[in-house]
Amino acid sequence: MLRPRLPRSRAARVLVTVLAVTPVGGCAHRPPAASVTAAPPGSALATTYRADADRLIDAALADSAAYRRLAQLTDRFGSRFSGTPALDSAIDWILAEMKRDGLDDVRGEPVMVPHWSRGAESLELVAPRAQRLHVIGLGGSVGTPPDGITAEVLVVRSFDELAARASEARGRIVLFDAPFPTDRAPFLGYRDVVRYRTAGAVAAARVGAVASLVRSVTPHSLSTPHTGGMRYDSTVARIPSAAVTVEDAELLRRMRERGERVVVTLKMGARTLPDAPSRNVVAEIVGRERPDEVVVLGGHIDSWDVGQGAMDDGGGSVAAWEAVRLIKRLGLRPRRTVRVVLWTNEENGLRGGIGYRAAHAAELDRHVLAMESDAGTFSPTGFGVGGTDSTLAVARRIAPLLARIGASTMTAGEDEADISPLVASGVPGMGLQVDPSRYFWYHHTDADTMDKLDPRELARCVATMAVMAYVVADMPERLPRGAATATSSR
């Protein structure tokens, strides 16, 4: 999830990425920066690669191959949470399909991942009347006793309000009812309120509360609760933490504002099991001249344990996979190796991204670019580019090749979660940027299903990633390396 900006020193960025990202996970992304100019139409790179780029775009738009493959993945395996048989079976299937696609050196690279199980859960309004409420446990939470926790609810808008009313919190369940801001870009609004999900339990425990609830982090709700990661602090008690719907949060607030005593019973069977084995999925097109230099692109194959994980991030994974498959199918073998990586365990640990960096530590200086799609595969607009100003300048020289599909905007961006360990090690990074307007409607819910995606938009995402990956892998010069222009806010 979005977090405060990380320190700019490279060593500090690595450390903060591991400590801050690992506990809470969650696949939300950076807001776009202000700079949006593209390269002039006469760019030499655009002229050189126009024919190949058009072939890739035409092939991606020709049919709905990516959409059909994503539907097969999500319909067959459903959600793919870390530590579950569904994730392991999906990885087996992907590896077999990649081999059938004729990709090179298809393999699974082992990674140990967290294994949290939510168990049965419920939330019942006891007073002032009886009603079943909608609830979903937050990833990493402890459970309640078998009979649950029955307590009065204290409703607050913010951490500051909780601090001011600390004397009222002891023995109660604290509900953080913080509305999603809709007067700014969605990812900026998300960053403002996700902190109540990630840190609400710690703040509530510090003032003596027995459990923590959070209003779902979304601007739009149809009684759908949103899960996501949370974290604990070793200095305070670990109390159960869950999300309620926007509708139920507002119901409880109205009752409290009328002076009514609000009592609920929360039951959660959540528990954390020993770490489980998983794998990053890796496949390549080996470069024709500089095979040891690598362009990496991918998404994360795990999802939360609700919905189908179609938007987050099955679509991004399949878009990167399909981009590499099209390069192979068209016989476009670039100078450098193009490697697709479907990372495991982005949602509640980032173990895939961290594990990939460790497994490839000896070759990181030969990683030319790390690219990820993890903002939903809606209508693409271009890339957020991390690296030097020179890196951004090269991206803008490539940008005219993507103008025909509306994806030529190159901004000084920030790292996606899975590639952030690579970017922190000096590898230039790019995140696919798309129309963000609907992303948080479905984020981490049962509503993250195939019908929310459009096959034409997904095909354009495939085309955008294919063109950028191919050109960067084939152009004579490498992307410049050096201190990043922007750091991860995840």
Side-chain angles (χ1 to χ4, degrees):
M1 289 306 166
L2 285 168
R3 294 178 177 80
R5 289 187 178 276
L6 304 186
R8 285 187 179 272
S9 83
R10 189 164 295 161
R13 287 173 61 205
V14 174
L15 179 62
V16 174
T17 296
V18 173
L19 295 182
V21 176
T22 299
V24 301
C27 21
H29 317 271
R30 66 281 175 272
S35 180
V36 298
T37 57
S43 164
L45 275 178
T47 301
T48 300
Y49 288 101
R50 175 68 64 188
D52 288 343
D54 283 344
R55 288 182 67 201
L56 286 166
I57 293 170
D58 290 343
L61 302 183
D63 61 23
S64 300
Y67 191 85
R68 292 195 301 272
R69 178 161 261 172
L70 177 60
Q72 189 174 3
L73 169 69
T74 57
D75 292 348
R76 184 169 180 174
F77 302 104
S79 62
R80 303 167 301 282
F81 196 44
S82 290
T84 64
L87 175 60
D88 205 43
S89 296
I91 290 171
D92 287 340
W93 177 79
I94 292 166
L95 290 168
E97 289 292 299
M98 285 179 165
K99 289 176 181 177
R100 274 192 281 271
D101 290 342
L103 300 181
D104 302 328
D105 198 12
V106 177
R107 61 198 186 272
E109 296 185 348
V111 181
M112 295 299 291
V113 300
H115 187 187
W116 178 81
S117 174
R118 78 172 52 256
E121 52 194 16
S122 65
L123 182 65
E124 300 283 346
L125 180 63
V126 176
R129 62 177 175 83
Q131 179 179 326
R132 185 175 182 88
L133 304 176
H134 302 86
V135 71
I136 190 165
L138 298 180
S141 176
V142 298
T144 65
D147 292 336
I149 296 173
T150 300
E152 190 171 346
V153 177
L154 172 65
V155 182
V156 297
R157 288 285 195 198
S158 66
F159 291 136
D160 288 343
E161 184 180 353
L162 177 62
R165 302 176 65 185
S167 61
E168 303 175 52
R170 182 162 298 279
R172 293 187 175 181
I173 295 174
V174 172
L175 166 61
F176 293 95
D177 179 31
F180 193 109
T182 56
D183 59 348
R184 66 198 75 181
F187 285 99
L188 289 174
Y190 175 83
R191 183 171 61 186
D192 285 349
V193 292
V194 71
R195 57 194 176 132
Y196 297 109
R197 193 197 73 205
T198 59
V202 172
R206 193 163 279 135
V207 292
V210 294
S212 171
L213 299 173
V214 62
R215 173 183 175 133
S216 286
V217 186
T218 180
H220 178 79
S221 180
L222 292 174
S223 292
T224 311
H226 294 235
T227 190
M230 53 81 63
R231 60 173 175 259
Y232 288 115
D233 185 321
S234 61
T235 64
V236 296
R238 296 188 171 205
I239 61 175
S241 190
V244 299
T245 62
V246 170
E247 294 88 342
D248 287 344
E250 293 190 355
L251 168 68
L252 299 182
R253 168 168 285 282
R254 289 194 302 271
M255 289 177 168
R256 288 290 302 176
E257 288 177 344
R258 286 193 293 265
E260 296 173 318
R261 181 171 178 265
V262 177
V263 178
V264 300
T265 297
L266 174 67
K267 293 183 179 180
M268 294 174 60
R271 58 194 180 121
T272 298
L273 303 170
D275 284 0
S278 188
R279 292 157 288 172
N280 287 328
V281 178
V282 182
E284 300 175 343
I285 299 171
V286 176
R288 70 179 189 275
E289 290 181 7
R290 305 177 195 173
D292 60 333
E293 295 185 4
V294 181
V295 170
V296 170
L297 68 159
H300 66 85
I301 194 55
D302 67 305
S303 72
W304 280 102
D305 57 337
V306 291
Q308 292 183 309
M311 180 193 76
D312 183 17
D313 183 35
S317 294
V318 169
W321 173 8
E322 180 70 1
V324 176
R325 188 188 73 84
L326 288 181
I327 294 171
K328 174 80 172 183
R329 196 191 85 188
L330 296 178
L332 297 173
R333 188 178 178 190
R335 284 183 172 86
R336 301 173 183 85
T337 293
V338 176
R339 178 180 295 164
V340 57
V341 181
L342 308 188
W343 288 278
T344 191
N345 185 233
E346 186 270 354
E347 294 291 7
N348 65 328
L350 201 67
R351 299 280 186 86
I354 295 168
Y356 179 88
R357 181 187 60 193
H360 297 270
E363 60 182 87
L364 291 185
D365 62 337
R366 298 187 296 277
H367 276 56
V368 175
L369 172 67
M371 181 195 310
E372 184 170 11
S373 170
D374 189 17
T377 46
F378 301 111
S379 182
T381 59
F383 288 97
V385 182
T388 65
D389 291 339
S390 297
T391 308
L392 181 58
V394 174
R396 287 175 174 163
R397 289 165 55 202
I398 299 170
L401 296 171
L402 298 167
R404 60 176 282 204
I405 53 173
S408 60
T409 298
M410 303 292 151
T411 68
E414 298 175 348
D415 317 339
E416 299 289 359
D418 295 293
I419 63 172
S420 63
L422 297 178
V423 174
S425 300
V427 180
M430 292 188 190
L432 181 67
Q433 293 187 338
V434 303
D435 174 5
S437 58
R438 291 173 289 148
Y439 182 77
F440 291 108
W441 294 9
Y442 317 120
H443 185 242
H444 296 177
T445 73
D446 276 318
D448 182 359
T449 49
M450 276 300 301
D451 57 293
K452 307 308 185 303
L453 301 181
D454 184 298
R456 294 161 297 183
E457 292 181 345
L458 177 57
R460 288 170 56 213
C461 290
V462 172
T464 303
M465 297 189 80
V467 170
M468 183 60 73
Y470 173 71
V471 174
V472 172
D474 193 68
M475 65 187 190
E477 69 272 23
R478 284 180 51 156
L479 281 181
R481 296 171 74 99
T485 57
T487 57
S488 176
S489 60
R490 297 188 45 127

